[in-house]
Amino acid sequence: MANSLGTAYVFGSPAEIVLYPSTSTTVSVFTGVITSTANEGFDISHECDTEEVKDTSGEVVGHIVSNNRLTLNVNCIPSGTTAANALLTAYLADGNGTAVISGAKVITCGGIADAVNTATSSRWIYAGGGSVKFTNAGKAMVSITLKKYPAANLTPGIAVIL
């Protein structure tokens, strides 16, 4: 493990992530621990839509912000007690699947005090776009992008058949 003298630095963050399909919040499709050995890292960003209000001479006189949201990119190495168990962690949920994250370092992002962990804020949404990379030259890699809308407490919807 790395250490430093003088100034302290922050290194990666372990966490546990549980993915759920779009149809359930109780039956998971994958549980993975993003540990110091299996975590390639994650990054979080804050985004929102903005609009400038201009007067008749074209000067900005106001600024409107809406659709506050967070994006979390997670990269981890599929791992398990056996190769078969490790392969099970190379799973991508269906669109509108959700994720519960615990054990990550507490950080504030977008005005949310504990932005990554879901015990104090809403679930993350998996909207698709993940990937599983296999290579003969090294480790496999799972990459998923998750979204969170702090103003919305979203749960799986009910399918409507017409």
Side-chain angles (χ1 to χ4, degrees):
M1 180 172 153
N3 61 45
S4 63
L5 294 175
T7 303
Y9 298 96
V10 176
F11 289 88
S13 175
E16 180 178 14
I17 183 168
V18 181
L19 293 177
Y20 296 89
S22 61
T23 55
S24 177
T25 59
T26 57
V27 180
S28 66
V29 292
F30 160 75
T31 299
V33 179
I34 305 171
T35 64
S36 58
T37 57
N39 180 13
E40 284 293 304
F42 61 82
D43 61 86
I44 187 169
S45 61
H46 172 251
E47 303 157 343
C48 54
D49 298 334
T50 62
E51 184 177 341
E52 294 177 338
V53 179
K54 297 181 181 180
D55 63 13
T56 56
S57 63
E59 296 300 317
V60 174
V61 295
H63 191 257
I64 299 170
V65 175
S66 62
N67 196 21
N68 191 41
R69 61 193 178 275
L70 303 176
T71 300
L72 184 72
N73 297 304
V74 179
N75 299 301
C76 57
I77 304 164
S79 58
T81 55
T82 66
N85 287 344
L87 192 57
L88 292 176
T89 66
Y91 186 93
L92 299 174
D94 57 343
N96 273 343
T98 60
V100 173
I101 298 176
S102 61
K105 292 179 179 171
V106 176
I107 61 165
T108 299
C109 185
I112 301 171
D114 189 0
V116 177
N117 296 299
T118 53
T120 57
S121 60
S122 60
R123 287 180 179 234
W124 289 94
I125 300 166
Y126 174 70
S131 67
V132 180
K133 178 182 178 183
F134 294 96
T135 175
N136 291 334
K139 61 196 176 291
M141 183 69 63
V142 174
S143 298
I144 58 173
T145 298
L146 304 169
K147 295 274 187 185
K148 184 183 284 192
Y149 301 89
N153 187 8
L154 303 172
T155 58
I158 299 172
V160 177
I161 300 173
L162 301 174

